[in-house]
Amino acid sequence: MSTREILSGLPAFDEVIQHVRLGDNVVWQVDGLDEYRFFAEPFIGQAVKDGRRILYVRFAPHPPVIPPQEGVEVVEVDPAPGFDLFSGAVHDLIAGEGKEAFYLFDNLSALAVEWATDEMLANFFQVTCPFLFELDTVAYFALTRNKHAHSAVARIRDTTQLLLDVYHAGGETILHPLKAWDRYTPDMFLPHRVEGAEAWPAIHHSGQAAAMQTRGRRPLAGRGESIAPWETVYRRIEQFREAAGETPDLAPELAALKQELARMMLGTHPDVSRLADRYLGLDDLLEVRDRLIGSGRIGGKAAGMLLARAILAREGEADLVGALESHDSFYVGSDVFF
């Protein structure tokens, strides 16, 4: 091996992709945590054996990818305060550890759920991974397959060094390298059967490969149904609003969706949430969404302006309310701003 090549703990995987290298960001597209764990545990075990500095970055509500163990430092970073604070904390962590540290991250898909949009997830990856690459680290990430907008996955693919699709078909586990930067073998980008420890055979026959992909239920378009709440909450609100006249008992569900929409656009500060619940109606929030460029949060100053207008409109004196001009603002969503 060259001095930049490292052992992943899975000799067959090393053979397929011609070794993980210092500087690599490795993204695993998986259906569940067990698939990610299958590759992450040997990677961490080998790194401990080799005496590497290892950090496990925890931010998702799912169970730990690996159990607590000697030689692995667990660092918890809260994504709830938003993209900029979370990304800054991760950046400070990476800067403090310096060169050739090894990282295991929770499933990135949790960030899309927390921040409401796939674009914010892609933003985080694009600002974090080049820094990891520059410091000759090795970092493992997971992404739930077929649960994110194609545009966001494309940005992650453009940024990472290794992108690997893992799925099940006909009782077999299949590894399909989708990107392996600066390396090539004739079989590298074919699907491979994951069997044994020493060799994972490539599937050369096109009919077999097509059958594997069909049984694995992999959409040809690659888009899938995004788990980010931005579009799904809006669609559910529209559905409930249409049905509310005929089914009055839908009101509690609609109120919960309104709170979720406010959280996605205005943030999670308790005082802001309390005032939004009291003074902003669902129509007010939908009007903001209609004037939003991109998606995500509109920022604290814009939220304060909207709440101030709503409070004046509800509780201000008649002369003052009558002096307010028509609301004419548009907003740049956080996914575009960042």
Side-chain angles (χ1 to χ4, degrees):
M1 295 194 305
S2 75
T3 57
R4 295 191 59 83
E5 294 176 350
I6 66 112
L7 297 174
S8 71
L10 292 168
F13 174 62
D14 294 336
E15 180 66 24
V16 170
I17 53 94
Q18 297 299 288
H19 290 282
V20 177
R21 302 173 183 175
L22 294 176
D24 279 349
N25 295 284
V26 185
V27 180
W28 301 90
Q29 287 197 130
V30 295
D31 291 322
L33 209 59
D34 287 342
E35 289 87 352
Y36 186 33
R37 190 174 286 121
F38 176 85
F39 295 94
E41 287 182 342
F43 166 66
I44 295 300
Q46 185 68 48
V48 170
K49 180 180 178 181
D50 294 340
R52 302 285 187 177
R53 283 179 295 119
I54 309 163
L55 294 98
Y56 174 24
V57 184
R58 285 282 282 149
F59 52 81
H62 62 60
V65 178
I66 59 172
Q69 54 191 282
E70 186 176 352
V72 180
E73 179 182 355
V74 179
V75 181
E76 295 190 2
V77 187
D78 185 6
F83 165 85
D84 48 346
L85 292 178
F86 178 81
S87 298
V90 173
H91 188 281
D92 290 344
L93 172 66
I94 296 168
E97 291 299 321
K99 295 182 70 69
E100 297 191 18
F102 281 29
Y103 295 88
L104 176 69
F105 285 80
D106 275 345
N107 190 334
L108 291 171
S109 296
L111 297 178
V113 175
E114 178 63 43
W115 295 336
T117 74
D118 289 320
E119 294 306 315
M120 293 302 289
L121 161 62
N123 286 347
F124 168 73
F125 196 85
Q126 285 196 297
V127 301
T128 302
C129 289
F131 191 31
L132 291 165
F133 175 81
E134 180 183 337
L135 292 176
D136 284 337
T137 71
V138 177
Y140 269 36
F141 302 88
L143 193 67
T144 303
R145 191 164 58 88
N146 296 330
K147 294 297 183 181
H148 297 283
H150 177 71
S151 58
V153 177
R155 290 171 59 193
I156 292 172
R157 177 173 180 158
D158 288 344
T159 307
T160 194
Q161 284 72 46
L162 288 168
L163 178 61
L164 305 132
D165 203 14
V166 181
Y167 58 96
H168 299 284
E172 297 180 299
T173 300
I174 306 298
L175 170 73
H176 190 178
L178 303 180
K179 180 181 180 181
W181 178 72
D182 196 32
R183 65 204 83 178
Y184 173 78
T185 68
D187 293 343
M188 182 177 291
F189 297 103
L190 296 173
H192 292 73
R193 290 187 174 90
V194 176
E195 52 185 44
E198 299 302 323
W200 294 345
I203 302 173
H204 291 90
H205 192 282
S206 60
Q208 290 180 346
M212 287 289 183
Q213 291 187 348
T214 301
R215 289 201 296 269
R217 296 181 181 178
R218 305 173 65 226
L220 294 177
R223 178 179 175 87
E225 182 71 21
S226 175
I227 59 175
W230 183 256
E231 291 297 336
T232 56
V233 167
Y234 179 72
R235 286 196 299 268
R236 289 173 63 195
I237 286 174
E238 290 300 301
Q239 292 169 355
F240 278 126
R241 277 161 61 93
E242 291 175 2
E246 301 175 1
T247 314
D249 59 354
L250 290 178
E253 287 82 357
L254 199 55
L257 289 170
K258 179 212 164 192
Q259 288 183 329
E260 180 67 9
L261 183 61
R263 183 189 75 85
M264 291 190 297
M265 292 196 300
L266 306 182
T268 57
H269 191 283
D271 289 337
V272 172
S273 297
R274 176 176 54 82
L275 292 171
D277 287 343
R278 180 175 178 181
Y279 290 104
L280 293 178
L282 182 56
D283 288 339
D284 297 322
L285 294 174
L286 292 175
E287 183 179 356
V288 174
R289 189 186 189 281
D290 290 341
R291 297 185 180 200
L292 190 61
I293 301 167
S295 56
R297 297 178 183 178
I298 63 174
K301 295 181 181 66
M305 177 193 67
L306 286 168
L307 289 169
R309 286 181 59 92
I311 292 169
L312 287 174
R314 179 81 64 85
E315 299 185 357
E317 295 182 4
D319 291 344
L320 179 58
V321 174
L324 291 176
E325 295 184 358
S326 299
H327 188 201
D328 59 359
S329 296
F330 286 78
Y331 313 92
V332 178
S334 55
D335 66 332
V336 174
F337 178 81
F338 286 120

